[in-house]
Amino acid sequence: MTRRLLLVGAGHAHIEVLRSMKEQPIQHVDVCLISPSEHFYYSGMISGYVEGIYSLEEVRVDVKRLAHEAGVHFIRKRASRVYPNFKKLFCQGGAVYPFDLISFDIGAKSQPGQLVPSPEYSHMNDPNKKMVEQIEELRQTSQPLIVGGGAAGCEVALALQAYKARNEIPGQVRLVSSSSVLNSISKRTAKKLRSIMESKGIQVWEQERAEVMYDDYIMTSANNKIRHTGVLWLGGPLADPLFEASGIKVDEKGFPFVTDTLQFTDYEFIFGAGDCVTLETYPNIDKSGVHAVKQAPILYENLRRFSYAKELTVYEPQKVALYILSTGMKKALLVYGPVTAHNKRAWKLKNKIDREYMDKYK
Ligand SMILES: Cc1cc2nc3c(=O)[nH]c(=O)nc-3n(C[C@H](O)[C@H](O)[C@H](O)COP(=O)(O)OP(=O)(O)OC[C@H]3O[C@@H](n4cnc5c(N)ncnc54)[C@H](O)[C@@H]3O)c2cc1C
């Protein structure tokens, strides 16, 4: 009997699942991909897009085409609720999809913590279409402000500043961070990156939380008034409320737990990968595209094995991650364990890795 598998979200893990299905379909399983966007945006190349090095087409994949090539139905919808006991997925607009097996790769949102947000800023979160649309506006303004001092915030700030320098657009990029910048990597790397940012003319406020936003300035927790001509929120991942609203067991941030086989802890027929889930065995690893990419082959294999009632395989996160942060003008900061290097070779390596990654889906 044919069974139905729903892939929810076209993130870093699911596009690899699609590619694998194109090469080796899962027999007797009818597969649907449900995502609100027809494109997948590759996070590794977003900063290069912001700087103007890559075109939009170079940093995104046509998911509808990829699904079609894999024999997967593409449904352009946003999931809003899942009812595991009835094996049904509800989408915005009221559509309901029954399933036998379901997999989530819907990423995370990054909205300001205690900030009083204007509605128009509340969607500025991941490297998805809406953020991409903001970029052109921010490039032209004189004091764009990035909220968030993680890898994404710092890279985008540096890329915006580099775009301005390349195109002789006057202005100064600003960044405010509730902790010190890059605090999840190492103090030494953070210090290095901060000095690179300052040398490029980026103004950085650390240990200050953006709290209230006005049209042309924000107020911080230190009672500082930071002027801006446009804001981009990259303040860290928040869970999609759909899991908690569906009564699924989640961590304190709202992310559902998955086992090392990438199955939800309470439901073996629900799988998840990438930013949208928390590994119960490694709850503290950073949410980053790298993990979603590494989980993808395990996810595909386990969806296949589960469908054939075979024993599942286990995902083990890598112990030491390679970080290569683009710092603008085709230079990058490479961090691998105790090794740190800031040069053009690091950028060339990043460019090679990223282009090879994208070539698989073009
Ligand atoms: C500017 C920026 C730069 C970054 N740079 C890097 C980097 O260089 N390296 C790195 O490792 N990480 C980077 N990150 C982090 C990285 O983007 C995320 O960790 C990564 O995107 C997570 O991948 P994912 O597969 O979990 O989800 P995503 O790739 O975010 O994909 C989620 C998908 O789900 C869809 N979706 C969302 N909600 C729903 C819903 N309710 N129903 C159905 N579909 C839905 C979305 O449209 C999207 O297709 C960066 C982040 C940002 C913001």
Side-chain angles (χ1 to χ4, degrees), residues 83 90 92 94 98 139 150 172 195 225 276 285 311 325 332 338 356:
Y83 289 102
F90 282 64
Q92 278 177 5
R139 281 167 171 167
Q172 178 201 43
S195 81
K225 195 172 171 179
C276 72
I285 56 171
E311 195 185 331
L325 300 177
E356 281 174 4

Side-chain angles (χ1 to χ4, degrees), residues 27-326:
Q27 300 297 332
H28 310 298
V29 176
D30 179 44
V31 189
C32 295
L33 173 74
I34 296 179
S35 183
S37 168
E38 285 182 9
H39 291 101
F40 157 77
Y41 292 83
Y42 175 44
S43 57
M45 291 172 94
I46 290 294
S47 60
Y49 168 73
V50 173
E51 188 177 339
I53 294 174
Y54 306 127
S55 69
L56 200 49
E57 290 316 311
E58 284 175 300
V59 307
R60 69 183 188 180
V61 173
D62 182 341
V63 172
K64 205 172 158 188
R65 173 193 51 77
L66 195 61
H68 180 72
E69 288 170 4
V72 169
H73 311 283
F74 176 76
I75 299 167
R76 191 171 176 173
K77 292 226 181 304
R78 182 178 288 278
S80 57
R81 207 63 70 95
V82 58
Y83 289 102
N85 296 337
F86 300 99
K87 292 196 170 174
K88 287 198 169 123
L89 180 82
F90 282 64
C91 290
Q92 278 177 5
V96 183
Y97 300 94
F99 60 83
D100 299 293
L101 185 59
I102 191 165
S103 173
F104 286 92
D105 177 24
I106 59 173
K109 319 199 174 306
S110 98
Q111 288 166 358
Q114 279 112 49
L115 193 104
V116 182
S118 301
E120 70 265 30
Y121 286 112
S122 61
H123 61 257
M124 298 172 78
N125 45 13
D126 57 9
N128 261 308
K129 199 173 169 212
K130 282 172 183 155
M131 189 190 116
V132 166
E133 283 169 355
Q134 307 284 341
I135 296 303
E136 182 52 25
E137 197 183 311
L138 288 173
R139 281 167 171 167
Q140 307 304 328
T141 64
S142 60
Q143 289 179 322
L145 173 67
I146 309 296
V147 179
C154 294
E155 253 199 330
V156 169
L158 283 156
L160 267 178
Q161 192 70 31
Y163 181 89
K164 286 180 166 298
R166 282 173 185 280
N167 295 283
E168 296 176 1
I169 299 170
Q172 178 201 43
V173 178
R174 318 183 123 202
L175 182 141
V176 60
S177 175
S178 58
S179 59
S180 46
V181 296
L182 272 196
N183 76 332
S184 66
I185 304 186
S186 75
K187 279 195 174 142
R188 205 168 120 241
T189 313
K191 200 171 157 205
K192 176 82 186 154
L193 191 72
R194 196 170 42 240
S195 81
I196 295 169
M197 290 170 85
E198 282 165 2
S199 72
K200 308 256 179 188
I202 298 171
Q203 197 168 355
V204 180
W205 287 264
E206 291 176 297
Q207 317 293 352
E208 288 191 45
R209 183 177 292 282
E211 286 194 333
V212 190
M213 195 184 77
Y214 298 88
D215 277 354
D216 52 359
Y217 66 93
I218 59 154
M219 288 304 294
T220 72
S221 49
N223 241 356
N224 224 335
K225 195 172 171 179
I226 303 177
R227 296 215 159 266
H228 68 77
T229 51
V231 176
L232 187 60
W233 303 107
L234 293 171
L238 282 186
D240 191 307
L242 90 84
F243 297 114
E244 200 163 6
S246 304
I248 283 170
K249 190 173 141 199
V250 293
D251 68 10
E252 75 281 0
K253 290 186 176 160
F255 295 103
F257 287 106
V258 290
T259 62
D260 54 8
T261 51
L262 305 178
Q263 290 166 291
F264 278 35
T265 46
D266 289 346
Y267 303 97
E268 60 168 20
F269 53 87
I270 307 184
F271 285 74
D275 281 7
C276 72
V277 293
T278 293
L279 278 173
E280 70 171 347
T281 40
Y282 297 91
N284 299 321
I285 56 171
D286 277 355
K287 306 245 178 239
S288 93
V290 173
H291 296 300
V293 169
K294 299 275 181 202
Q295 287 166 354
I298 306 291
L299 178 65
Y300 165 71
E301 189 54 30
N302 281 350
L303 291 170
R304 212 171 66 82
R305 290 188 186 196
F306 190 88
S307 306
Y308 301 157
K310 287 193 175 160
E311 195 185 331
L312 304 191
T313 185
V314 161
Y315 170 73
E316 180 81 33
Q318 58 196 50
K319 298 252 172 342
V320 186
L322 169 70
Y323 295 92
I324 312 182
L325 300 177
S326 173

